[in-house]
Amino acid sequence: MHQSALSLKLSTFVSLSETDLATLARFLIRRRNFTVGYELTHEGQVNASAFVLAEGWAFSYKTTPDGDRQIVDFQVPGDFLGLRSILFRTSDHNVEALTRIEATEVLASDLFDAFADAPRLATAVLWAASRDEAMVVEHLVNLGRRTAEERTAHLLLELGARLKLVGLADDAGFDCPLTQYHLADALGLSAVHVNRVLRHLREQKLMTFQKGRVVFDDFARLTDLAGFDTSYLDQDGPLLR
Amino acid sequence: MHQSALSLKLSTFVSLSETDLATLARFLIRRRNFTVGYELTHEGQVNASAFVLAEGWAFSYKTTPDGDRQIVDFQVPGDFLGLRSILFRTSDHNVEALTRIEATEVLASDLFDAFADAPRLATAVLWAASRDEAMVVEHLVNLGRRTAEERTAHLLLELGARLKLVGLADDAGFDCPLTQYHLADALGLSAVHVNRVLRHLREQKLMTFQKGRVVFDDFARLTDLAGFDTSYLDQDGPLLR
């Protein structure tokens, strides 16, 4: 059986039984394509659906009353989109397709039925949500405590590690559709500043981001510069159960 | 039956059945007291426990390799402490008692048993975790997109709303054990800057933080200044189910 990115991801946390996998497969039925810029969820939306991203990239963001955009996170295959939105009375954030994407819709009822049928899966979904939170925490540390260079390196190393988990990156690098505007709005920098930081990282022979591809020229030194420690992604080491 | 702060909080999301409440009561058996500064969880810890805070305040934080501290969130009665830590191989953050606290220990097995016995409770715990994530997202927006004054007001309004949910605040204000150092490390400001911001908010007759108490002098104007919208706390409005 071909493993979905989601089951590949959840399998790094627990070994999923046949029942779990069958229940999970029900999350992946309503497969749809969305064009670049499509808004899957928006702030204030009632009865929002969640999605599981199968192909392509998305991003979640909030806007302030002044119209400033803060990108909270990027999502890659295997990630939930707008999971909070189906638990909340109204969605507290926006999710937009960053590339053309393929995603499957998950209704609140799918989730609740799954929890009743397969409690291990409930634990796995709570783990995935906790991991998403751990990433937002790191993005908070990026803005609060890391220099422009450190935070840029940290985010790109994180994306590399997450993509590696679902077979879309290796230690050499990954295909990356982000523009400098996305990086700027995620990192609290201007696009000009991001450009300068990327040039400096390249000149130091640490990493290169060109033509839609991130190449880690010196993975060890870059990791050291960023203070990047994968433990918050909880994807390495033996299964817990 | 006397309601715990946790059941009070979860009851704003779903109406809990007798079974749910009985299962939840098992989370609250191992009640312990901890002194100020006690470290309940630390980064890198293996086999960490989670706790439910019954009385007092705690805070979660991360440190950078340089030794800088970023406070991620403050926890008040009814909140989980270190919930991620029992799902992860190693804990990705620190939790420390900010006051003398009373908290009950929750083992991973308690949680997994509860999910098997009471799937509605699994949904409620996922909701609580999602709400915690929504707060971290707002703290990210604080650092990325709000001025020093806006972010200070936003955090204190958030704490007021959270405490109100468990009966420890009203629209007039709340007892607050935070020092200017805690606020500074949460808001990405220096203690001197926090001091100046608080003075300015007081001079504008918006709010006063003195002698361990936050008083909202003009709740409506303060809310407006901060762009504070409670929907991310998902605590108002009819129950979902």
Side-chain angles (χ1 to χ4, degrees), chain A residues 12 62 89 123 138 234, chain B residues 12 62 89 112 123 138 234:
Chain A
T12 64
K62 303 243 345 175
R89 292 163 179 83
T123 316
E138 284 298 328
D234 195 48
Chain B
T12 65
K62 304 244 345 177
R89 291 162 180 85
F112 302 141
T123 315
E138 283 298 327
D234 195 49

Side-chain angles (χ1 to χ4, degrees), chain A residues 12-13 62 69-70 84 87 89 92 112 123 130 133-134 138 143-145 185 234 236 238 240-241, chain B residues 12-13 62 69-70 84 87 89 92 112 123 130 133-134 138 143-145 185 234 236 238 240-241:
Chain A
T12 64
F13 170 60
K62 303 243 345 175
R69 177 174 81 167
Q70 176 66 47
R84 284 205 300 286
L87 294 172
R89 292 163 179 83
D92 74 318
F112 303 140
T123 316
S130 297
E133 183 186 352
E138 284 298 328
L143 263 57
R145 296 293 174 205
D185 282 358
D234 195 48
D236 303 309
L240 284 188
R241 58 197 68 83
Chain B
T12 65
F13 170 60
K62 304 244 345 177
R69 177 174 80 167
Q70 176 66 47
R84 283 204 302 285
L87 294 172
R89 291 162 180 85
D92 74 318
F112 302 141
T123 315
S130 297
E133 184 186 352
E138 283 298 327
L143 263 58
R145 296 294 174 203
D185 282 357
D234 195 49
D236 304 310
L240 282 188
R241 60 197 68 84

Side-chain angles (χ1 to χ4, degrees), chain B residues 45-85:
Chain B
Q45 187 177 347
V46 180
N47 294 325
S49 295
F51 295 86
V52 175
L53 188 56
E55 270 186 54
W57 288 46
F59 67 104
S60 54
Y61 67 99
K62 304 244 345 177
T63 48
T64 64
D66 298 338
D68 287 324
R69 177 174 80 167
Q70 176 66 47
I71 292 183
V72 174
D73 201 4
F74 301 102
Q75 288 82 35
V76 298
D79 287 343
F80 283 104
L81 309 177
L83 184 59
R84 283 204 302 285
S85 303

